[in-house]
Amino acid sequence: MQSEEKNELLRVNELRVQFGRGENPARAVDGISFDLREGETLALVGESGSGKSVTALALARLVPQPPGRYAGGAIEYRGNDVLKLSAENLRELRGGEIAYIFQEPSSSLNPVMRVSEQLHESLRLHRRDVDPEKEIVELLKCVGLPDPQNVARKYPHELSGGMQQRVMIAMALASRPKLLVADEPTTALDVTVQAQILTLLASLQKQFGMAILLITHNLGLVAEVAHRVAVMYAGKIVEQGPVEKILRDPRHPYTRALLAAVPRLEGSQGTVQGIEGLVPDPRHLPPGCPFHPRCAFAREKCKTDEPVWETENDRDVRCHFWREL
Ligand code: SF4
């Protein structure tokens, strides 16, 4: 998918988020930088525990403090420093300009409120200019729910998982966000529904022109929907660039390992190569390159020296030896 030249919406620069204090705080996000333009989709990919979800929450200052702490860096949203916004501006940003959808729709929807009441609440907070009854039906229609009037009268438990996720997306769209943060939006759904939801997000993005930050552990999912991809490991981005470049020619050993872990039907007779070992404890990151205990290409230097960003054309990589691999 080609990215069009658009205005910058979000710039994250050397962001650090830590949990706990003392000598060994957990470095959940450890100096990451990326940007996102209007109407663009950036996929943030990595295993559980790599820092993706904390990054997502940090964008609208949703990391609970304590135990969390913004330990450095900056988040600029449309030129404003999110870390310095007043409480009132922050309220406008959350659920308004920046909307979220999460993995488990059943835990994000209020079980004792009908769908229409929940959508009403979103519209009351962010779009007082519209006729709520009409808009609720429009929103449910545009996320592909059949018989929207009937769905609006239902409670969440009366809907399937896929329908609940569509309602969540409708709630997120109710404020006409400029940025939609979708944190593992399809993980709890079965495979056919996953594909439908991703296709829906891509078509809604075209319709509403919003940017999407898609958080996923599955690099295989991003090919159809993302313009760019950033791969995260141990709180750092280790490789980022245009999606076709990263998927066709991954250069960081961790990106390669993630791709090898994607199930394929063709070629490798359906085999999947898991990644050996575990994501390190963010309180005790290994010295040198944090991936070295799991990396098939690690050399002595990797155990002592932390790799720095290297940029070539529009790809950034954090590995000592990426040009030789
Ligand atoms: Fe592997 Fe070394 Fe590159 Fe880290 S720096 S990814 S350990 S080769």
Side-chain angles (χ1 to χ4, degrees), residues 131-190:
D131 173 347
E133 303 309 324
K134 267 197 202 157
E135 187 65 16
I136 286 169
V137 171
E138 275 311 307
L139 283 164
L140 293 174
K141 224 193 261 176
C142 89
V143 295
L145 283 162
D147 198 358
Q149 284 90 348
N150 185 32
V151 172
R153 286 192 290 271
K154 299 220 182 262
Y155 289 98
H157 74 268
E158 298 178 280
L159 304 171
S160 67
M163 289 172 90
Q164 289 178 358
Q165 193 57 298
R166 284 173 194 265
V167 169
M168 278 302 301
I169 295 171
M171 282 179 63
L173 293 178
S175 65
R176 289 275 190 276
K178 298 262 185 310
L179 169 59
L180 179 67
V181 181
D183 189 355
E184 302 276 8
T186 63
T187 305
L189 306 171
D190 69 45

Side-chain angles (χ1 to χ4, degrees), residues 7 22 112 125 130 163 182 276 286:
N7 294 330
V112 296
L125 288 173
V130 297
M163 289 172 90
E276 278 189 28

Side-chain angles (χ1 to χ4, degrees), residues 257-291:
L258 278 181
L259 268 173
V262 175
R264 284 168 208 280
L265 290 177
E266 80 286 355
S268 54
Q269 296 166 337
T271 55
V272 175
Q273 261 178 278
I275 310 174
E276 278 189 28
L278 296 171
V279 172
D281 180 342
R283 284 166 304 176
H284 303 284
L285 294 175
C289 171
F291 189 53

